[in-house]
Amino acid sequence: MPGMIAFGRRWGIASDDLVFSGSFELFVRVLWWIGTLALYTLHKGKFDCSGGRVLHSYLVVLLVLLAFIILSLCAIVYVSAQGTITNPGPRRSIPVLVYVRAMLYVPELIWAILGAIWVSDDSRGCDTLAVYIIWILLLSTGVGVLFVFDPLGSRLPGPPSQEQLGVRDLESSEGSQLLSTARSVAVRVWESRLRLLCCCLPQDESHRAAFSSIAQLVSGFFSDTDLVPSDIAVGLALLHQEQDKKEQCRDPDEVLPHSPSSPIVSTGAEDLEAELEKAAHCMQFAIAAYGWPMYVYSNPLTGACKLSGDCCKTQSAEYDIVGGDNMGCHFSSILHSTGLQYRDFIYVSFHNQIYEIPFFVALDHKREAVLVAIRGTLSLRDLLTDLSADCENLPVEGVSGTCYAHKGMSQAAGYIYKKLLNDGILNQAFTIAPEYKLVITGHSLGGGTASLLAILLRSSFPSLQCYAFSPPGGLMSKALAEYSKDFVVSVVLGKDLVPRLSYPNMEDLKRRILKMVSNCNKPKYRILLQGCWYELFGGDPDDFPTEMDRREEELSQPLLGEETLLIRGSSSYHSLASEDSPVHCAHLPLYLPGRILHITEDGPSRRCVRYRAEWSSETAFRSVLISPRMIADHMPDAVLRSLHSMTQDRPFNLCPSSLSNSHLNVI
């Protein structure tokens, strides 16, 4: 940190990132040198093959060339390991060493070309392994350069001589112009990356608009910092251990005495038990909406066999399937997952476009409900819907306060809303079962869309209920979140990342990463090694010295390079000075929907993992928790397993402390 300046541009690595890559190449080069020396010694004076004299000369020059390369790599590794992340002074000679190492590629490339010519013309009977190895290493180096190439690293126009420190005021016209230019270039680069990633999708107007919106969001996130990927990895490793230390020291979280917005007519434990039963039942439909991929994933030994007999069969006119399931495998998996019959399905859609996600409508006779299940993220189009995170107005009759929501999910909810009402799907369902109530469910993207759909349908169906599993944290405004507490239940497992994802939370995470990195006085390679050990094998969090021996006001200096555009007015610049510095974010705050049912591990037992559930508030999800479980806890099968564990295996999952405190609404 910052990105290394070499060959007139900034690269995606810092001067202290060459320890591991350099050590690996050094190891390979030393082995190669030893092997070449052994080959030369074995055949010394006995190069009897055709072209043996050429091979003799080739090996001698190669040994000398490898010796110089090994020496340069030793110097690079040693110097790169010096200093700390924010003290690059001891590594100021790294660019020179990189130039020396790059110059050695020239004779190596020439020698590789000559070796290739010799192999093709006059190498019969000779050992040519050394010639092939050099090409493998050169190609590997080329791939590595592509990985660390930063399209945004080209030099900006140089500052006037009186501004050699590189720090320019945001309010100056020159600084504003350079900032605008840099951001425009960043947006264009990210748009190109998205188009390349989604090259299989049609490049129509809706997709281009989504690419532009997402590019602006992503490019602006780290536009006021100069971080390389390894800096972020170091910050996450330190932050994870810091959070674990705080968790070990803090008192148990305070839990709510009763379900938010629910009148106290029963004990908290009874309320939780009822909601857990309903949630476990609805989660089966939410996971079924993913179709055959999730079914096979959840049943790796038997799933494919069970579906193989049903796929490719045509079930004529018994159900209405729209788009994307020509083989019938999706619908067959839904039948297996839910246990429903063909006649129970009113409408099934696997049509998938940006802002248009698959869903199905079925009659749930067990719970006497017309159930709408919406699929979560399973395609690139779904991912674009997820990342369209701008705010969009969502006016709702009877709701006081500003009403806005996540753009992508709001449009997806609007699409399903029109299908349900304009196409008469719900009217058909309630004609068959007029006494049933409406229940909407979904997981992840489906959970967020289900919550917004429930808000849109609330005025027409006052008794509807919605169960949103692992919905995104940046979903709806405070007014809509309060309004939805009467009919929406959000279920969150453990340290799931997605319910904590919102722009303010990500800004807070960036600020904390910057502070952890700026205050750490250990070399980067040591932090990464110890962090990997901690993630893989656990143990006590390392007590890294995180306070540097300098004044607090000196910590407010931006963590940017001498030749980088610095922004004094940026949020990251100001937030380094204090842990409590506010995050200045242009994005409106968004919240989780409804009441929040938080399920956490209560410690392992001899038979299985025990879980506890409690009503929580949105304040518990205002920061991102770094953990190996942050992705695993989001998986739908993990959520379903925890709910089944608490409802079906309750004797093993009720701990004495929970029983004795049932009035606190904890199971």
Side-chain angles (χ1 to χ4, degrees), residues 224-246:
D224 55 351
T225 60
D226 190 2
L227 292 172
V228 296
S230 60
D231 297 329
I232 300 175
V234 166
L236 292 175
L238 293 174
L239 188 57
H240 179 205
Q241 297 182 54
E242 184 75 13
Q243 288 176 346
D244 283 356
K245 285 191 289 186
K246 290 182 178 180

Side-chain angles (χ1 to χ4, degrees), residues 194 210 213-214 217-218 290 352-357 374-391 405-412 443-449 469-475 498 501-503 590 634:
L194 288 170
S213 175
I214 296 169
L217 178 71
V218 176
Y290 281 97
N352 191 202
Q353 292 293 336
I354 184 172
Y355 309 138
E356 298 175 4
I357 56 181
I374 305 173
R375 196 187 77 180
T377 304
L378 199 64
S379 69
L380 281 177
R381 295 179 177 90
D382 297 334
L383 187 60
L384 292 176
T385 303
D386 285 320
L387 294 177
S388 298
D390 291 339
C391 294
H406 183 286
K407 175 184 175 181
M409 297 180 196
S410 176
Q411 294 201 13
H443 171 266
S444 190
L445 166 64
T449 304
F469 301 94
S470 309
L475 182 61
V498 173
L501 276 184
S502 65
Y503 203 92
L590 297 171
H634 184 69

